[in-house]
Every structure is written in C-alpha cells, then in structure tokens.
Amino acid sequence: MYMKTPILAPSLLSSDFSRLGEAVQKIEKNHGSWIHIDVMDGTFVPEITIGQPVIRCLRPLSKLPFDVHLMIRNPEERADSFIDAGADYLTFHYEACSDPGKLIDHIHERGIKAGISVKPETPVSVLEPVLEKVDLILVMTVNPGYGGQKIIPECIEKVACLEEIRRKRNLGYILSVDGGVNEKTAGDVIRAGTDVVVSGSSFFAGKLTLADLTKYAG
Ligand code: DX5
Ligand code: ZN
C-alpha cells in the first residue's frame, strides 16, 4: 500500500523553555513542517506550560504553521485569544468541551483550522457528530500531560479505525498522532494511516528525524 511521508510536528514541550527561539530554529533546520505547541492549564492536566503571550512572542520567528494543542478545560472560553496569538490549527479536547461542534464552527468563522483530540480511554465513536466538519483529529497515544511517556499500543488501532472511516466515507480530516512516537514506534503509527507525527522527547534528543518517517513511506 502506498503511504506518503507524514508531516513532522515537533513539540516544543520537550525543548529547553529558557531557549524557545532556538528550539524553533532547531525545528526549521531539522525539517519539522509544523510546530506543535502544548498548552496546559494545570486543571485538565496537572502542569501549566505555555500561554498566549509566549505564542505571540514566537509567532514572528517562523512561518511554519503553529499546531496548538489545548489541554485546557472550557476551551471555548479561550479559543479566540489563541487564534489572536497566532494559531493556525487549534485543537481542543473532546473531554474538555461541552459543545465540540459549536466550537469547531466558531474556529472556522475565525478563519483557521479546527482540531479535536481524544484521550486514550475515549472511544473514537464519540467523534461521529463532528467527523464531517473537523479538519484534524489528534489521537493521543499517551495520557496527556507529560512528554517522554511510552506509547499505549492499543491507541494505534484508533488511528487505523479513523483512517478506514475516512477512506470509506471520503472524509477530509487530517490524522495526527501525539505521544510516545520514537524511531521504533513511528512505523506502526504511519502504517496505521497518520498524516502528522508529533514528536517531543525523541525529536529534541535528536533520535527521531524526518528520514525515520520517510523510510516507512513510499
Ligand atoms: C503530551 C503532549 C505531547 C508530548 C509529546 O501531553 O501533548 O505533545 O509533548 O511528547 P513525546 O513525543 O515525548 O511523547
Ligand atoms: Zn500535544
């Protein structure tokens, strides 16, 4: 089966936060196509990371799309401010939002792409109401909150399932995989049909490169 090389979306979460500008340069130099920015609110997940002011400061440093992953409660209350700060893709969690369809419509009205993410224990069936309108589905393959965790292999089946639904119904969403992807696990998520590979710890340790993704495609 033909597979195209996925988009590499390195996550700033695993970079040195005192040198975020250099991390952006490293992503550009090492063939990252998107910049994945993990926003944590200390409530939906335990830690607090990057907010709108930091994204605003990073925005002029790169033309690469900012793939903003909101791990926050009530994302509808803050979506506008993240769009204003420079997000190109704004992804929120199904589990954190009371009306995902409405938020997707709102993000579209603001002129950017909308993504939805599911935690490992959330079945993909909950996404049915939004499959026709969402631009991106971010399948979490670890529990959100921390970089450097081991992939949960069962979650890879969710990617294959969403890819099959997309193919059979000719839908247009992009599939992205986030958590525990390294040079050993990349092949499994690519074969399952992901279009985007998010990588934090392996990318910044210099262990996962675009070449690792390319070898599984073609
Ligand atoms: C986890 C984040 C991920 C994380 C991935 O909550 O959403 O983006 O940074 O890091 P690795 O690749 O180290 O699992
Ligand atoms: Zn993420």
Side-chain angles (χ1 to χ4, degrees):
M1 188 175 98
Y2 171 78
M3 285 178 285
K4 61 183 187 316
T5 303
I7 286 169
L8 176 59
S11 166
L12 288 178
L13 184 64
S14 301
S15 70
D16 177 347
F17 274 18
S18 70
R19 299 172 165 205
L20 283 172
E22 287 170 39
V24 167
Q25 284 173 357
K26 182 167 182 184
I27 290 172
E28 293 205 335
K29 211 172 119 218
N30 291 282
H31 315 291
S33 295
W34 290 5
I35 298 179
H36 186 85
I37 303 176
D38 287 304
V39 175
M40 303 185 185
D41 66 352
T43 306
F44 184 70
V45 289
E47 297 203 323
I48 300 174
T49 54
I50 290 171
Q52 303 90 329
V54 177
I55 296 174
R56 247 190 324 270
C57 289
L58 294 174
R59 187 62 280 185
L61 303 185
S62 178
K63 290 195 165 56
L64 295 180
F66 277 12
D67 176 32
V68 176
H69 176 192
L70 297 179
M71 283 165 275
I72 66 173
R73 286 204 194 281
N74 305 321
E76 60 283 350
E77 290 173 10
R78 298 188 206 283
D80 280 319
S81 63
F82 283 98
I83 296 169
D84 294 339
D88 296 284
Y89 283 82
L90 191 63
T91 295
F92 62 90
H93 269 265
Y94 167 83
E95 302 85 359
C97 181
S98 54
D99 192 342
K102 191 172 167 198
L103 182 51
I104 290 167
D105 289 341
H106 180 72
I107 295 169
H108 285 160
E109 279 160 24
R110 289 291 320 270
I112 68 159
K113 305 281 190 194
I116 193 161
S117 183
V118 280
K119 288 162 80 166
E121 75 264 23
T122 305
V124 295
S125 55
V126 302
L127 299 175
E128 177 56 41
V130 301
L131 288 181
E132 295 194 1
K133 64 166 80 175
V134 79
D135 301 296
L136 180 146
I137 299 175
L138 181 69
V139 177
M140 291 300 306
T141 41
V142 298
N143 280 302
Y146 302 96
Q149 303 180 72
K150 263 185 90 168
I151 199 164
I152 302 169
E154 293 76 33
C155 295
I156 301 172
E157 289 161 26
K158 291 159 86 174
V159 182
C161 173
L162 287 163
E163 150 59 14
E164 191 183 346
I165 294 171
R166 174 171 67 175
R167 188 166 26 85
K168 285 193 174 151
R169 291 164 54 183
N170 202 19
L171 296 171
Y173 51 78
I174 291 171
L175 284 170
S176 181
V177 169
D178 188 4
V181 183
N182 56 35
E183 63 285 6
K184 297 195 182 83
T185 58
D188 293 338
V189 299
I190 293 169
R191 278 188 289 269
T194 197
D195 307 288
V196 182
V197 170
V198 176
S199 173
S201 47
S202 299
F203 175 84
F204 279 98
K207 289 185 182 156
L208 183 81
T209 64
L210 186 64
D212 291 309
L213 307 188
T214 309
K215 72 177 174 218
Y216 296 108

